[in-house]
Amino acid sequence: MTSIQQDRYPVYDQLRSNTPVLAEPSATSLRTYTTWHLTRYDDCLTALRDPRFVHEERKYLAPEVCEEPGENISSLTSSQRNWMLFKDPPDHTRLRSLVQRAFTPKIVQNLQPRMEHITTMLLDEMEAQTEVDLVQAYAFPLPVMIIATLLGVPMQDREQFRAWSNILFQSLDFLVSDTTWEQASQAVDALRAYLRDIVHERVKQPQDDLISGMVRARDEHGKLSEDELLDNCILMLAAGHETTVNLIANGVYLLLREPEALVQLQRDWTLLPSAVEEILRYESPIQVTTRFVSEDVQLGDVTLKKGDYVSPWLGAANRDPAKFTEPDRFDITRDPNRHLAFGQGIHFCLGAPLARLEGQVAIKAYFQRFPKSTFVGDQAWAFKPSVLTRSLAHLKLKVAP
């Protein structure tokens, strides 16, 4: 894990070449099992699409080997168990269909003017400075403002939303302290109370936002409990914010590091959608996911046993030379580009259209305003010590029109 944090791509290459299905002996206090690390594109795709790889392991394990969460993190655990991200059919199908009724393409497109307004405001603030940390000044605040707009949360509460989002997403990483879990559980309690008030307001006075749409879906179809509604709003805040932060920051970083690609893009902005797809492939915001093996599965010459876990490494799959020509080359014209950055199968990211649009709006607006930006010094950027994500801790730039 430590080597993956520091320089992950050579590690991925080595695993893919030598041990593409790597067995890691694992254990809890109640049982032993194997975690299988997958680094080939086709194996990762299988794990994402095959219904034998599931999320709700408690349905397949004997109760006596299921660990119960401590009281100090019970709110976090109970919330996550309602997230459609961690559900299997039929509950996943029910929850996703209801959320999707509210999360329509029209709602996403209607957010574009708001995105453009926020980017202009943030860029105006940056223009008064000589040097900025792009992560804190731009990439981080933009998505949380958009999520707040989408959910119908007042803008004056966005800093609180930002803090909740940050700690919730930290709790999903592989290397998490007990303190982070406790803080995330407290954030869930606060968010449930905050969102419950908004839900009750939308029942009385619906608006053109996602919470109103979910209330309407709940009331019309009667298949969504209030806890499920609240917890899936929490999911959208936690999962939808951090990934888009990474897309925007990674995109600016890559284009500045690859000046020929930036010049190519500035000459032809119709390449922007393709450029965003290449950013997602080359520096995937989410690097790995997990699934539980619900029955014995043969994967090549390896047998995965019921009760094991698989970890499909999306970041490795997206650099697989068997799938992508010259995978370590950043090419904004790459076509086809069937990356797995948003997953695949039934859990394909519901917010992918929103993230793509935000990435396109933010990157274009930044380079149109500051086309001659440069890195500040030798320590201009640093990636976070995260296994789950490919995310910049900071990106220090000299902004120049």
Side-chain angles (χ1 to χ4, degrees):
M1 288 297 184
T2 301
S3 58
I4 284 178
Q5 288 177 287
Q6 297 304 318
D7 192 4
R8 61 189 66 209
Y9 297 112
V11 177
Y12 292 162
D13 290 342
Q14 185 178 21
L15 289 174
R16 197 189 307 108
S17 298
N18 300 326
T19 321
V21 183
L22 174 68
E24 179 190 359
S26 306
T28 69
S29 61
L30 299 175
R31 73 183 188 99
T32 60
Y33 56 92
T34 300
T35 300
W36 299 92
H37 297 280
L38 313 180
T39 46
R40 289 183 299 211
Y41 183 97
D42 287 343
D43 291 339
C44 290
L45 188 61
T46 296
L48 296 172
R49 286 181 170 175
D50 192 316
R52 293 173 295 179
F53 297 105
V54 303
H55 280 291
E56 295 182 86
E57 67 264 35
R58 296 170 72 86
K59 290 183 177 179
Y60 301 89
L61 293 174
E64 58 268 21
V65 299
C66 294
E67 288 191 311
E68 291 300 321
E71 192 64 32
N72 56 337
I73 62 167
S74 60
S75 293
L76 175 64
T77 306
S78 64
S79 178
Q80 289 179 344
R81 287 177 184 169
N82 279 331
W83 291 4
M84 60 183 174
L85 176 64
F86 297 140
K87 286 287 191 180
D88 302 314
D91 285 333
H92 173 268
T93 308
R94 171 179 60 85
L95 289 170
R96 187 173 175 111
S97 65
L98 288 169
V99 175
Q100 208 155 13
R101 290 174 190 272
F103 204 125
T104 62
K106 181 181 177 182
I107 282 180
V108 173
Q109 287 300 321
N110 286 346
L111 283 169
Q112 184 164 349
R114 181 65 180 160
M115 289 179 199
E116 292 169 347
H117 172 75
I118 294 171
T119 57
T120 298
M121 178 186 71
L122 294 172
L123 292 170
D124 286 346
E125 293 173 359
M126 292 163 62
E127 200 166 35
Q129 305 174 56
T130 305
E131 298 178 1
V132 299
D133 176 355
L134 188 95
V135 175
Q136 295 303 318
Y138 192 59
F140 204 93
L142 173 60
V144 79
M145 292 182 187
I146 296 302
I147 290 288
T149 300
L150 179 67
L151 292 174
V153 172
M155 277 296 109
Q156 62 265 26
D157 295 335
R158 66 178 182 267
E159 286 302 317
Q160 180 61 71
F161 244 56
R162 181 172 168 169
W164 285 330
S165 170
N166 193 35
I167 195 64
L168 278 169
F169 197 83
Q170 286 181 40
S171 73
L172 297 176
D173 213 327
F174 279 54
L175 306 175
V176 185
S177 69
D178 291 343
T179 300
T180 298
W181 272 332
E182 290 175 9
Q183 291 173 342
S185 199
Q186 293 165 10
V188 165
D189 287 332
L191 264 166
R192 279 175 170 168
Y194 180 92
L195 291 169
R196 186 173 284 110
D197 288 342
I198 294 179
V199 167
H200 294 164
E201 289 175 8
R202 296 301 184 268
V203 170
K204 299 173 185 176
Q205 292 185 314
Q207 297 184 18
D208 189 19
D209 57 42
L210 185 59
I211 290 181
S212 296
M214 290 176 70
V215 168
R216 187 162 53 250
R218 177 196 66 178
D219 293 345
E220 288 176 359
H221 301 275
K223 296 180 180 178
L224 185 69
S225 71
E226 182 161 291
D227 281 347
E228 288 173 332
L229 192 162
L230 296 172
D231 290 333
N232 281 283
C233 285
I234 291 172
L235 164 64
M236 282 181 274
L237 174 64
H241 175 236
E242 179 74 16
T243 51
T244 310
V245 173
N246 298 344
L247 167 58
I248 294 168
N250 292 349
V252 173
Y253 157 76
L254 283 171
L255 288 164
L256 288 175
R257 206 187 66 178
E258 305 283 348
E260 290 182 4
L262 177 56
V263 169
Q264 187 180 20
L265 182 61
Q266 289 171 322
R267 287 175 177 168
D268 183 5
W269 284 107
T270 64
L271 293 174
L272 184 60
S274 175
V276 166
E277 296 308 307
E278 181 67 346
I279 292 161
L280 287 163
R281 182 197 72 86
Y282 195 84
E283 294 283 16
S284 303
I286 300 296
Q287 291 280 305
V288 62
T289 184
T290 58
R291 297 290 190 275
F292 177 81
V293 184
S294 66
E295 59 182 86
D296 290 1
V297 177
Q298 193 70 25
L299 197 63
D301 58 357
V302 177
T303 301
L304 316 185
K305 295 292 187 179
K306 177 181 177 179
D308 288 346
Y309 289 86
V310 293
S311 291
W313 287 86
L314 309 180
N318 289 338
R319 298 283 191 106
D320 187 344
K323 185 66 178 180
F324 301 97
T325 304
E326 295 183 87
D328 294 324
R329 182 167 67 90
F330 182 65
D331 178 8
I332 66 171
T333 66
R334 187 179 294 275
D335 184 30
N337 191 354
R338 298 187 180 92
H339 61 75
L340 301 180
F342 289 122
Q344 269 293 333
I346 64 171
H347 288 285
F348 182 82
C349 178
L350 185 64
L354 179 61
R356 286 178 162 125
L357 182 59
E358 283 187 72
Q360 290 175 28
V361 168
I363 290 168
K364 182 177 181 180
Y366 178 81
F367 282 113
Q368 284 186 327
R369 180 72 71 93
F370 303 120
K372 297 180 181 178
S373 293
T374 55
F375 295 121
V376 177
D378 296 333
Q379 306 297 320
W381 69 83
F383 283 94
K384 293 179 182 177
S386 169
V387 174
L388 176 66
T389 66
R390 185 64 166 164
S391 53
L392 285 155
H394 67 259
L395 179 58
K396 296 178 181 179
L397 302 178
K398 183 176 181 180
V399 290

mmCIF file of all heavy atoms in Angstrom, residues 20 129 159 223 363:
data_model
loop_
_atom_site.group_PDB
_atom_site.id
_atom_site.type_symbol
_atom_site.label_atom_id
_atom_site.label_comp_id
_atom_site.label_asym_id
_atom_site.label_seq_id
_atom_site.Cartn_x
_atom_site.Cartn_y
_atom_site.Cartn_z
ATOM 1 N N PRO A 20 -1.248 -10.588 -12.081
ATOM 2 C CA PRO A 20 -2.422 -9.749 -12.354
ATOM 3 C C PRO A 20 -3.623 -10.044 -11.457
ATOM 4 O O PRO A 20 -4.503 -9.190 -11.309
ATOM 5 C CB PRO A 20 -2.742 -10.050 -13.816
ATOM 6 C CG PRO A 20 -2.136 -11.391 -14.073
ATOM 7 C CD PRO A 20 -0.917 -11.456 -13.220
ATOM 8 N N GLN A 129 -4.901 37.918 -7.282
ATOM 9 C CA GLN A 129 -3.720 37.323 -6.643
ATOM 10 C C GLN A 129 -2.658 36.998 -7.696
ATOM 11 O O GLN A 129 -2.963 36.835 -8.876
ATOM 12 C CB GLN A 129 -4.111 36.036 -5.919
ATOM 13 C CG GLN A 129 -5.256 36.224 -4.911
ATOM 14 C CD GLN A 129 -5.712 34.902 -4.333
ATOM 15 O OE1 GLN A 129 -4.917 34.166 -3.777
ATOM 16 N NE2 GLN A 129 -6.992 34.603 -4.473
ATOM 17 N N GLU A 159 -19.901 26.276 3.260
ATOM 18 C CA GLU A 159 -18.664 25.952 3.968
ATOM 19 C C GLU A 159 -18.879 24.779 4.921
ATOM 20 O O GLU A 159 -18.009 23.916 5.077
ATOM 21 C CB GLU A 159 -18.144 27.182 4.729
ATOM 22 C CG GLU A 159 -17.521 28.235 3.828
ATOM 23 C CD GLU A 159 -16.363 27.692 3.001
ATOM 24 O OE1 GLU A 159 -15.528 26.935 3.557
ATOM 25 O OE2 GLU A 159 -16.289 27.989 1.800
ATOM 26 N N LYS A 223 -41.916 3.998 -2.431
ATOM 27 C CA LYS A 223 -40.898 2.959 -2.316
ATOM 28 C C LYS A 223 -39.566 3.504 -1.795
ATOM 29 O O LYS A 223 -38.528 2.885 -1.978
ATOM 30 C CB LYS A 223 -40.678 2.302 -3.680
ATOM 31 C CG LYS A 223 -41.907 1.562 -4.210
ATOM 32 C CD LYS A 223 -41.603 0.953 -5.569
ATOM 33 C CE LYS A 223 -42.817 0.210 -6.114
ATOM 34 N NZ LYS A 223 -42.536 -0.343 -7.468
ATOM 35 N N ILE A 363 -12.354 23.630 -16.610
ATOM 36 C CA ILE A 363 -11.050 23.631 -17.284
ATOM 37 C C ILE A 363 -11.007 24.676 -18.394
ATOM 38 O O ILE A 363 -10.032 25.433 -18.523
ATOM 39 C CB ILE A 363 -10.729 22.217 -17.811
ATOM 40 C CG1 ILE A 363 -10.446 21.286 -16.621
ATOM 41 C CG2 ILE A 363 -9.536 22.243 -18.775
ATOM 42 C CD1 ILE A 363 -10.406 19.814 -16.983
#
